[in-house]
Amino acid sequence: MTAPATPATATPGVDTEEQAALRQSVAALLEKKSDSAAVRAAFSSDDGYDPALWATLVDQIGAAALSIPEEHDGAGATWLETHLVCEELGRRLTPSPMLGSAVLAAQAVLATGDDAACARLLPGIAAGEQAALCWAGLDGWATPGVRAQVTDADVATLNGTAHHVLGADTATTLLVVAVAGDEVGLFELPADAAGVTVTRVPVMDPTRTLARVEFDGAAATAIPTRPSFLSRLRAAGWAALSAEQVGAARAVLDATVQYTQERKQFGRVIGSFQALKHRMADMYVKVETARSLSYSAAASVAEAQGLGDGPAADEAAYAAEIEAAAAKVYCSEALQWIAGESIQLHGGVGITWEYDAHLYFKRAHGTAQLLGQPHELLAALEVAAGL
């Protein structure tokens, strides 16, 4: 199953002419450079992605710089531009450092609100240099896996293990969300620093590399954070994941419709059978509702970022966190269901290596676990709703 080479469509109420042009540019590039064969070659390579394609996305599209302010060598665009790029990358299952570096690492730095850290780290990320965000503990993202002992105003010693780190094996800089006393802070160090061991781990989703990063007395620089730091980081991460999921869901639907228009049974194309039409109609409804929730979350993230710092911005960040959590839960469940339906409607070939249905199925279940499982986020949403 290959994503059809159809033009990217605008999202009603979201895309400006400039955003639509950006979406079309990304879609056209990925159509040429990230088809099924290219995706398989990329995730089978030593790096786990295509460095040449990433360089093109950075240099010609400016993907890594979109949500980074102009004063830090970024494009100064809104979050929505980054969001739609994530959607197009998800549509193709393109392996790239976009989520790990240009989204999670960059947004972690921006979320701190620390001007010195932004000036030091963001220009490199905008230029395509890779940073990895170390966060999750053994049981997930609710509690960081690393503890920091702050020995000076801006110096700390890190101990512990961060799990499920995106792109750590190819990153030059590590940003670590760690527990420091009764607080959670952000710390910076080179990926090749003494006391750091990076190990790529086996994954279910081959289109995305994950690593385990162990810290044994590693020296790091502490970055000051503001009260809304984690809310801002979570909101951006969850929103970006929902964008990827929406892109993948649309690709799965399009490929399933295409297959049912080609496959014949009893002398008729199977897409003409009413029962299958109903199932694909249900898939379409799931895709569109997921997209609506995803872009609503994106708009909330963009609004919070646009307010800068202060109480009003913090309140907007907390609201964006809740909306992004809801989008991540719904889009996770929608993509898992749609990918499962696609395999069923493809019949026996749906689970064969030659078709891409199994890759979308694996991506669906992999992204559902990233940055918190749906049931964990639902429990937090119930508390936020006072239930």
Side-chain angles (χ1 to χ4, degrees), residues 19-154:
Q19 289 169 344
L22 172 63
R23 183 192 292 277
Q24 187 60 51
S25 295
V26 176
L29 173 63
L30 298 182
E31 183 178 330
K32 294 178 181 178
K33 302 292 186 179
S34 191
D35 60 10
S36 177
V39 167
R40 291 163 184 255
F43 69 62
S44 300
S45 68
D46 291 340
D47 290 327
Y49 71 97
D50 181 357
L53 176 57
W54 176 239
T56 302
L57 283 165
V58 171
D59 297 336
Q60 296 185 17
I61 304 295
L66 286 172
S67 58
I68 293 177
E70 292 180 279
E71 59 265 31
H72 301 306
D73 297 342
T78 70
W79 172 259
L80 290 172
E81 282 74 19
T82 296
H83 199 81
L84 64 88
V85 170
C86 289
E87 182 180 349
E88 290 304 315
L89 291 170
R91 191 165 76 93
R92 290 285 178 177
L93 297 185
T94 303
S96 84
M98 183 69 185
L99 180 62
S101 182
V103 173
L104 292 178
Q107 292 302 315
V109 177
L110 286 168
T112 65
D114 183 69
D115 292 335
C118 288
R120 185 171 64 251
L121 295 166
L122 293 181
I125 295 176
E129 297 175 12
Q130 292 182 50
L133 183 66
C134 305
W135 187 352
L138 184 60
D139 297 325
W141 284 263
T143 303
V146 179
R147 300 194 69 86
Q149 180 67 44
V150 179
T151 57
D152 200 348
D154 60 352

Side-chain angles (χ1 to χ4, degrees), residues 53-360:
L53 176 57
W54 176 239
T56 302
L57 283 165
V58 171
D59 297 336
Q60 296 185 17
I61 304 295
L66 286 172
S67 58
I68 293 177
E70 292 180 279
E71 59 265 31
H72 301 306
D73 297 342
T78 70
W79 172 259
L80 290 172
E81 282 74 19
T82 296
H83 199 81
L84 64 88
V85 170
C86 289
E87 182 180 349
E88 290 304 315
L89 291 170
R91 191 165 76 93
R92 290 285 178 177
L93 297 185
T94 303
S96 84
M98 183 69 185
L99 180 62
S101 182
V103 173
L104 292 178
Q107 292 302 315
V109 177
L110 286 168
T112 65
D114 183 69
D115 292 335
C118 288
R120 185 171 64 251
L121 295 166
L122 293 181
I125 295 176
E129 297 175 12
Q130 292 182 50
L133 183 66
C134 305
W135 187 352
L138 184 60
D139 297 325
W141 284 263
T143 303
V146 179
R147 300 194 69 86
Q149 180 67 44
V150 179
T151 57
D152 200 348
D154 60 352
V155 178
T157 301
L158 304 182
N159 288 282
T161 302
H163 296 265
H164 321 304
V165 183
L166 291 166
D169 54 319
T170 55
T172 56
T173 301
L174 299 179
L175 297 169
V176 186
V177 178
V179 177
D182 296 329
E183 304 291 334
V184 173
L186 187 67
F187 302 84
E188 166 204 350
L189 73 167
D192 59 357
V196 176
T197 303
V198 179
T199 306
R200 187 187 288 191
V201 298
V203 290
M204 176 178 63
D205 174 11
T207 66
R208 176 165 282 152
T209 63
L210 296 175
R212 180 177 64 250
V213 184
E214 299 169 87
F215 300 90
D216 184 9
T221 300
I223 301 175
T225 60
R226 52 187 162 186
S228 59
F229 163 66
L230 281 178
S231 289
R232 292 171 182 268
L233 177 55
R234 290 189 188 108
W238 290 334
L241 277 174
S242 75
E244 285 192 354
Q245 291 165 330
V246 166
R250 182 69 210 200
V252 169
L253 172 61
D254 290 345
T256 304
V257 171
Q258 179 178 317
Y259 177 79
T260 60
Q261 291 173 341
E262 298 170 350
R263 176 77 168 91
K264 290 185 177 180
Q265 189 72 33
F266 306 116
R268 297 168 54 189
V269 293
I270 62 175
S272 66
F273 299 149
Q274 188 173 25
L276 271 61
K277 287 182 179 180
H278 286 172
R279 291 175 72 171
M280 287 183 284
D282 290 340
M283 291 169 70
Y284 175 79
V285 171
K286 284 280 190 183
V287 170
E288 291 306 308
T289 50
R291 173 173 285 171
S292 294
L293 280 169
S294 179
Y295 273 88
S296 178
S300 295
V301 172
E303 179 183 0
Q305 292 181 346
L307 293 174
D309 209 348
D314 287 343
E315 287 298 320
Y318 300 142
E321 178 186 15
I322 292 173
E323 190 150 2
K328 204 272 187 176
V329 169
Y330 187 89
C331 293
S332 293
E333 295 179 345
L335 178 55
Q336 289 179 93
W337 181 79
I338 290 168
E341 283 290 281
S342 175
I343 288 177
Q344 291 291 321
L345 293 175
H346 272 75
V349 301
I351 57 173
T352 61
W353 181 254
E354 290 75 17
Y355 282 74
D356 287 341
H358 72 285
L359 293 178
Y360 283 94

